[in-house]
Amino acid sequence: AAKIAKRVVAVEAIPALVQEMRNNLEENSVLDKVDVVWGIVGNGSGMFADSTIRENNLGNEMPPALKMQDVMEKYSLEQIDFLKIDIEGSEFDMFKTPESWMKKVKYIAMEAHASFSSDGTMVPCGNIDDLRKVIEGVGFEVRLLDLNGKPAKTIKDEPVYLFAKRK
């Protein structure tokens, strides 16, 4: 994204991946266009809300919990042209209620996880239909695709790709 965008803000929860991202950006001569932020958005749902998974992936150091509005203010983002989300079920907390920052986004591409496996048990993250309704409620057209790229009305038990554009 940094090769074609004016500016990118990337939020990553896993500390080792933050440095890996910076190395990759430097190798591609775009580090100056990207702010890499260590943190977690939507920490109330998803894989990192599960203490076992969080400890296995993050160790004892929990990343700061961030709100999108705070990220936008800190990095002086008046609008977001393209918001890419792959936060392992945390999207349900991120989008649990309509917020003012959502009206400043033009396009969304998201991998949404209705559940995840923890020690062989499926743990629910949220309802895809509810997620879609919140996003539509702030002025987006939403399309859902299954893992094969085929249109779907809803998917309850596996990841779904959600694409949204401002009406």
Side-chain angles (χ1 to χ4, degrees):
K3 291 243 182 202
I4 60 171
K6 194 181 336 179
R7 182 169 182 215
V8 175
V9 176
V11 179
E12 175 56 54
I14 301 174
L17 293 181
V18 170
Q19 188 54 50
E20 194 172 317
M21 287 172 68
R22 287 187 177 126
N23 293 344
N24 189 348
L25 293 163
E26 189 170 13
E27 285 177 23
N28 286 283
S29 303
V30 292
L31 183 59
D32 60 322
K33 293 173 68 175
V34 181
D35 290 297
V36 180
V37 181
W38 179 55
I40 186 167
V41 178
N43 64 319
S45 68
M47 288 179 58
F48 292 131
D50 180 277
S51 60
T52 302
I53 292 175
R54 186 173 57 242
E55 289 169 14
N56 289 342
N57 285 279
L58 304 174
N60 294 328
E61 201 170 3
M62 183 65 177
L66 306 172
K67 300 247 182 240
M68 277 300 295
Q69 186 65 42
D70 296 336
V71 172
M72 290 184 73
E73 288 172 10
K74 181 173 181 178
Y75 294 95
S76 303
L77 302 174
E78 295 297 319
Q79 77 175 28
I80 298 174
D81 293 328
F82 181 75
L83 179 62
K84 188 257 188 198
I85 304 166
D86 185 0
I87 53 179
E88 308 305 322
S90 293
E91 57 275 3
F92 294 97
D93 188 49
M94 180 180 178
F95 285 95
K96 84 177 147 192
T97 57
E99 296 184 19
S100 61
W101 69 265
M102 294 177 192
K103 294 181 179 178
K104 298 176 182 179
V105 177
K106 290 184 178 179
Y107 295 93
I108 299 171
M110 178 188 324
E111 182 180 286
H113 298 265
S115 61
F116 64 91
S117 177
S118 177
D119 292 333
T121 303
M122 292 308 289
V123 178
C125 297
N127 181 295
I128 299 289
D129 290 325
D130 292 342
L131 181 66
R132 179 177 60 200
K133 286 174 189 172
V134 169
I135 295 170
E136 287 174 341
V138 291
F140 283 92
E141 288 180 25
V142 175
R143 288 186 331 146
L144 296 176
L145 302 179
D146 66 18
L147 293 180
N148 297 314
K150 301 209 183 302
K153 291 192 181 199
T154 187
I155 298 174
K156 298 200 185 301
D157 297 322
E158 57 183 286
V160 61
Y161 299 115
L162 183 151
F163 297 95
K165 72 175 184 175
R166 174 91 31 222
K167 290 181 186 180

